[in-house]
Amino acid sequence: MTLRIGVIGTGVMGADHARTIRRHVARAEVAALCDPDADRAGVVAGEIAGARLFSDPLALIADPGIDAVVVASPDETHAECVLACIAAGKPVLCEKPLAAGAADCLRVVEAERAAGRRLVQVGFMRRFDPAYNEMRQRLASGDFGEALMLHCAHRNASVPAFFRSLMSITNAAVHEFDIVRWLLDAEIVEIEVMKPRPTRSSAAADPLFIVMRTDKDQLVDVEIFMNAGYGYDIRTELVCEKGTLTMAPPVHAEQRIGGTQRFPFAPDWRPRFAEAYRRQMQAWVDSIGTDRPVGAGAWDGLVATAIAEAGVRAFEEGGVIKVALPRF
Ligand code: ISE
């Protein structure tokens, strides 16, 4: 049976998810698209035969012709859409962050618990990225000993106008918060955010330097640089007792020309994580109707946003802030 997916939001990620489903995902189709901007939705719909257009996300979610939903609308609309999916009993893959704040994430966690089954997956697609998976498997092999420190860098060439200053923590660094927990199988317990000299390419506080401690006493540093200029670059180095694991640049053809050796960087994250997005979507589709959920769940979404909130406090107040999580 083909899963009929409705995609909410046809901006950069919504359009990308719709194309991924159409081109690469088996047993699923894009049955509907939703965007208040009809022109924008129309462009994507033009590539997907048979996709119906909606302007109201709640109408798409309620439609009997939709089996499952992808939420890729602006961050502050996520919680309402995901709660409506849970109420309708429809599986939902929600782009990160799960909600704009931890309180809204908690509403989602509680609603899903009340529904009694897993319905929510959060789009932390790095969990499906081959490079991160290899690092995690090698760590699990025990050959490297225990993980002690993790160095991460998250650089964007530039960010769009709607990207407000602290979205570097709430929208971009949340990827790091999630992948650190997943890679180290540990919880982040405290966070400090330092502000180096800012770049003149942005009015925002950019870059930021984040230091975190896990409940296994490991230290993690993350450079977040939203206007690095040269391209999209994600770097990760895991320092263990007996060796290190460094993520290699994902290149298929290294260039040697004009007396130099080089490889290109993509302008944004989509080429870098294309394979992760494909695997995430197929795994989500395949998991629906089974009792084997995959990827990050609502609780993971809550934890990442709670760490981001602690990070925003650390940015504003200075010093080390403890991460507070609700107890059940
Ligand atoms: C962007 O919003 C994303 O979602 C990307 O995954 C992230 O790497 C990037 O830094 C963000 O700007």
Side-chain angles (χ1 to χ4, degrees):
M1 213 187 77
T2 302
L3 187 79
R4 298 167 300 176
I5 300 177
V7 178
I8 298 176
T10 57
V12 174
M13 276 324 298
D16 200 62
H17 286 311
R19 291 180 185 123
T20 297
I21 296 166
R22 187 179 74 75
R23 294 181 191 151
H24 304 290
V25 176
R27 297 172 291 284
E29 66 180 19
V30 179
L33 295 158
C34 176
D35 203 301
D37 182 338
D39 292 341
R40 190 162 74 165
V43 172
V44 187
E47 300 173 28
I48 299 171
R52 289 184 293 145
L53 285 183
F54 288 75
S55 57
D56 175 7
L58 299 181
L60 177 146
I61 293 165
D63 193 281
I66 297 300
D67 304 317
V69 178
V70 171
V71 175
S73 45
D75 296 357
E76 56 280 7
T77 65
H78 288 183
E80 190 193 356
C81 291
V82 173
L83 286 168
C85 290
I86 295 172
K90 295 189 181 178
V92 52
L93 173 61
C94 179
E95 258 304 326
K96 39 50 60 177
L98 174 58
D104 278 339
C105 292
L106 183 58
R107 287 170 60 213
V108 172
V109 168
E110 287 174 342
E112 191 189 47
R113 286 187 180 206
R117 65 190 169 113
R118 163 100 175 240
L119 287 165
V120 182
Q121 186 174 325
V122 182
F124 284 123
M125 78 298 178
R126 290 182 180 191
R127 292 181 179 219
F128 297 88
D129 179 64
Y132 280 117
N133 274 277
E134 190 178 330
M135 291 179 83
R136 192 172 190 248
Q137 280 158 17
R138 297 232 181 276
L139 179 60
S141 74
D143 295 349
F144 288 77
E146 294 292 333
L148 308 174
M149 291 179 289
L150 185 60
H151 306 294
C152 312
H154 181 138
R155 300 187 188 138
N156 281 31
S158 62
V159 280
F162 69 79
F163 206 95
R164 295 178 309 278
S165 179
L166 290 181
M167 282 176 77
S168 60
I169 299 176
T170 62
N171 178 286
V174 283
H175 277 299
E176 307 297 331
F177 304 152
D178 183 70
I179 207 68
V180 166
R181 296 179 60 234
W182 181 82
L183 211 48
L184 299 179
D185 194 17
E187 291 299 343
I188 293 167
V189 292
E190 55 186 41
I191 181 167
E192 182 170 8
V193 177
M194 285 168 252
K195 303 163 203 171
R197 176 183 172 148
T199 173
R200 287 173 296 170
S201 309
S202 165
D206 186 44
L208 296 178
F209 192 80
I210 300 176
V211 180
M212 299 177 284
R213 188 177 289 278
T214 73
D215 59 354
K216 294 179 177 170
D217 232 9
Q218 298 139 320
L219 275 186
V220 180
D221 61 86
V222 181
E223 173 207 307
I224 292 282
F225 194 2
M226 293 288 103
N227 296 277
Y230 66 90
Y232 184 74
D233 192 10
I234 296 298
R235 304 171 63 158
T236 309
E237 183 184 21
L238 185 55
V239 181
C240 305
E241 289 171 309
K242 298 185 198 165
T244 66
L245 288 158
T246 306
M247 184 182 287
V251 282
H252 298 297
E254 189 183 78
Q255 304 167 15
R256 288 165 198 216
I257 186 168
T260 65
Q261 179 187 26
R262 64 190 191 190
F263 56 84
F265 286 97
D268 72 26
W269 62 91
R270 286 169 294 170
R272 166 64 186 85
F273 287 111
E275 182 60 20
Y277 282 119
R278 283 196 282 272
R279 292 183 184 199
Q280 168 182 256
M281 191 62 77
Q282 188 68 67
W284 175 63
V285 166
D286 291 344
S287 75
I288 290 172
T290 74
D291 55 5
R292 292 181 307 280
V294 294
W299 175 255
D300 300 306
L302 186 158
V303 174
T305 295
I307 299 167
E309 280 187 353
V312 168
R313 264 189 67 201
F315 174 89
E316 286 167 349
E317 298 170 17
V320 177
I321 300 290
K322 295 234 177 294
V323 175
L325 293 177
R327 284 179 198 277
F328 288 94

